[in-house]
Amino acid sequence: MHTIPTLANTSPKVAIIGAGMVGSAVAFACLNRSVVSDLLVNDISKIGLGQVLDLEDAAFFSSAKVRHASLQDCGQADIIVMTAGYNNGPGESRDTLIHRNELVLKDVLGKMQPIKSSAIFIMVANPVNILTFMAQKLTGLPPSQVFGSGTYLDTIRLRNTIRKTLDVSDASIQAYVVGDHGDQQVALWSSATVGGQPLLTFPEFEHMNTSKIAHQCSRKVYSIIEYKGGSSFGIGAIIAEVIECINLNKKSVIPLTVYSDRYDVCLSLPAVLGVNGIDRIIYPQMNATEDAALQAYIKSNQAFCINYRQENITQGPTLIDKSPSLQLIGSPVDNIPDLQPSPSLSLKKVGSFSLLGPSAEASSEMTKKVSALKKPSSFRVFKSPVFSFIRRSSNKKTPSTVVESDMISSSTERKSYSTLESSNSLVLLSPSSSGQC
C-alpha cells in the first residue's frame, strides 16, 4: 500500500537577512514556490522597506505573510537565510570579500542573539565556505543546522551544459561540482553519469575538452556580473528548493557547504538534506586529477581555518603588519602594552587598535597596503584591507587625498568610508556602514 509522506513543516517562518539582488530574489522565489508561511525581511537600508511593500503584492498569490523585521525577530525564525554582504565586482574573486563580509556577519549575528535553538541557518553570502565556517562558530547552533549554498549553483550550470550537449532531461543527469564555490571548484567528470552510463563514454564527450567546459561554467558568474551587476535568479531558485527540501524532509542529495570531519574544513560536498538540516555527507568518487585539485583547495582552506581558530583564542596584542618604519598593533585599547619610549616612534590609539609609526612623515610606499583588524572579543588579522590608509597629497594645488588602497579604489566606495584618525601624512579610514549584496 502506498503511504503518503507526512509533511515535516509545511509552513515555516523564514527570515531573509539582506534585501539586495540576492535576498529579494530568494524572497520572490520562496513566495512563488509557496514554501513559507511567514516571510521576515531585514535590511539596514530603506530598500528593505521597499522590498517588503513590493513582496506584499507578490504574496497576494500565496498564503504567506510578509513583513519587515528586526534582527532579533529574525533570530526566532525556523529558517534563517543570510544574504547580506558585499558583492564582488567585475573580475573580482569572491575570496576578496572575506574580511568585509565577516564584519557584516558578526554584526548581524551579534544583534540576532539569542537564536532559536532549532533554527536552520543557510549561508548564501560569499565566500560561502569561509563564512559558513565562521557562522558555525558564531551562531551557537550545531554544524548540521548551519550550512551554505555551496556549489549547488555551479552543479546546475554544469548539468545544464551536459543537458544541452546530450539533449536529455535534467533528472537523467548525475554530476557534481565540489569544493569551492569559486575559482578553485572541481567538476567531477569521472563519476558523472547519464541514465546510469558514465558520461565520458558518450561519443559527444569522448573528445571534448572537459577542463575548458568546467572553466567556462566556473566563470559564468563574471559574465553575469559584467552584464547586470550580479547574479540573483539562479541562487534565488536554489534556496527556495533547499527550503522545500527541509520542509518536506525530502532527503535530497545536494552539493552544499558542510563541515567535514575528514578534512576539518567547511567545503561543498553532496549532502543529504532533511528537516533537521544535514543528515550526512556523501563523499563522491574521484580520479587522481580531481582529488589533487580538491586537496589543493582543502589545503588553502585548512590554513585559513587554523588561523581563524588561533586568532579567535589569542590573548593579548597581536602584531598585524610590520616594516622597518611602521607597525600596526591590534589590541583592545585597555590591553595595549606599555612600550618603551623612543624618539623615532609615536603611538596613536584608534578605537580597538593602535598605530605605532614613525614620528617623521611616512613614505608613500609604506601606505600602499596595510593589513586590517576586526575585533569582536578576540583578535583578527585581515590579509586584505578593510580599514585602510590613504596619504594626503602634499601638493597645495591638488589638496585631494591620494588613495593608496585598492579596497577603496572607486569613488562610490570611497564615500562610504569615514575618517577615524589622522596624522600629518596618514588618514585611517573605516567603513561607515555595511553594504548589502
Side-chain angles (χ1 to χ4, degrees), residues 95-115:
D95 292 339
T96 63
L97 305 173
I98 291 176
H99 306 303
R100 284 182 286 174
N101 283 346
E102 183 186 12
L103 292 173
V104 178
L105 177 62
K106 287 184 174 179
D107 180 62
V108 166
L109 292 180
K111 295 174 181 176
M112 196 181 287
Q113 298 291 345
I115 297 174

Side-chain angles (χ1 to χ4, degrees), residues 419-430:
T419 301
L420 291 187
E421 180 73 11
S422 63
S423 66
N424 291 334
S425 59
L426 296 175
V427 177
L428 181 61
L429 300 181
S430 170

Side-chain angles (χ1 to χ4, degrees), residues 44 85 169 176 180 204 211-212 222 229 279 289 314 341 367-368 391:
I44 62 172
S169 71
Y176 292 97
D180 178 34
E204 293 90 337
S211 296
K212 183 178 179 180
Y222 296 114
D279 278 5
T289 301
T314 300
T367 66
K368 283 187 178 176
R391 177 168 53 88

Side-chain angles (χ1 to χ4, degrees), residues 22 83-106 123-131 134 181-182 221-222 225 229-230 304 380 382-386 406-407 413 417 435-437:
V22 174
T83 72
Y86 291 88
N87 284 328
N88 48 317
E92 183 182 16
S93 168
R94 297 178 181 93
D95 292 339
T96 63
L97 305 173
I98 291 176
H99 306 303
R100 284 182 286 174
N101 283 346
E102 183 186 12
L103 292 173
V104 178
L105 177 62
K106 287 184 174 179
M123 177 61 67
V124 179
N126 285 310
V128 65
N129 289 352
I130 298 301
L131 291 180
M134 293 176 179
H181 174 54
V221 66
Y222 296 114
I225 291 171
F304 179 89
R380 287 290 295 114
F382 281 2
K383 296 181 180 178
S384 60
V386 177
D406 57 359
M407 192 61 76
E413 190 166 317
Y417 283 71
Q436 305 295 339
C437 62

Side-chain angles (χ1 to χ4, degrees), residues 103-327:
L103 292 173
V104 178
L105 177 62
K106 287 184 174 179
D107 180 62
V108 166
L109 292 180
K111 295 174 181 176
M112 196 181 287
Q113 298 291 345
I115 297 174
K116 186 177 181 179
S117 61
S118 61
I120 291 178
F121 188 95
I122 305 173
M123 177 61 67
V124 179
N126 285 310
V128 65
N129 289 352
I130 298 301
L131 291 180
T132 299
F133 181 84
M134 293 176 179
Q136 288 182 348
K137 305 300 179 186
L138 297 169
T139 58
L141 299 174
S144 61
Q145 292 172 222
V146 182
F147 57 88
S149 52
T151 53
Y152 196 2
L153 184 56
D154 307 288
T155 293
I156 284 178
R157 288 168 177 163
L158 180 67
R159 291 183 182 182
N160 268 333
T161 300
I162 296 171
R163 175 183 61 80
K164 293 175 183 177
T165 302
L166 297 181
D167 193 22
V168 296
S169 71
D170 298 334
S172 304
I173 302 168
Q174 286 292 313
Y176 292 97
V177 173
V178 298
D180 178 34
H181 174 54
D183 300 334
Q184 291 182 272
Q185 61 186 245
V186 181
L188 302 183
W189 295 101
S190 64
S191 60
T193 63
V194 175
Q197 180 177 334
L199 175 66
L200 297 182
T201 63
F202 282 79
E204 293 90 337
F205 280 91
E206 283 182 341
H207 304 291
M208 190 172 286
N209 187 335
T210 53
S211 296
K212 183 178 179 180
I213 294 173
H215 180 72
Q216 289 172 341
C217 289
S218 70
R219 303 291 296 181
K220 182 178 181 179
V221 66
Y222 296 114
S223 297
I224 297 173
I225 291 171
E226 181 181 354
Y227 293 138
K228 58 173 282 191
S231 62
S232 56
F233 297 138
I235 191 65
I238 279 172
I239 298 304
E241 171 65 20
V242 166
I243 291 174
E244 184 173 276
C245 285
I246 296 168
N247 295 347
L248 304 184
N249 198 27
K250 291 171 73 171
K251 302 295 182 76
S252 299
V253 178
I254 301 172
L256 298 168
T257 295
V258 293
Y259 175 76
S260 165
D261 286 320
R262 178 183 296 186
Y263 301 126
D264 193 26
V265 294
C266 282
L267 75 165
S268 186
L269 291 167
V272 179
L273 181 63
V275 68
N276 296 315
I278 303 299
D279 278 5
R280 63 171 174 154
I281 300 171
I282 298 176
Y283 292 91
Q285 291 185 343
M286 290 174 271
N287 62 25
T289 301
E290 293 162 351
D291 184 63
L294 184 62
Q295 293 300 327
Y297 169 69
I298 290 171
K299 186 175 180 180
S300 63
N301 196 338
Q302 283 174 332
F304 179 89
C305 293
I306 290 171
N307 290 337
Y308 184 80
R309 289 193 190 101
Q310 290 175 345
E311 289 155 8
N312 280 273
I313 61 172
T314 300
Q315 300 298 320
T318 303
L319 183 63
I320 305 299
D321 189 66
K322 62 182 179 180
S323 69
S325 57
L326 179 66
Q327 292 180 332

Side-chain angles (χ1 to χ4, degrees), residues 30-86:
C30 286
L31 292 178
N32 284 341
R33 293 280 295 271
S34 297
V35 297
V36 298
S37 61
D38 292 306
L39 184 62
L40 312 184
V41 179
N42 176 274
D43 195 285
I44 62 172
S45 71
K46 64 180 182 180
I47 291 176
L49 296 173
Q51 296 287 28
V52 167
L53 294 174
D54 200 5
L55 288 166
E56 281 178 344
D57 295 340
F60 179 82
F61 300 99
S62 74
S63 58
K65 298 177 182 178
V66 183
R67 64 185 174 94
H68 193 271
S70 68
L71 285 173
Q72 197 160 23
D73 285 342
C74 291
Q76 299 307 303
D78 301 305
I79 299 173
I80 303 166
V81 182
M82 178 69 180
T83 72
Y86 291 88

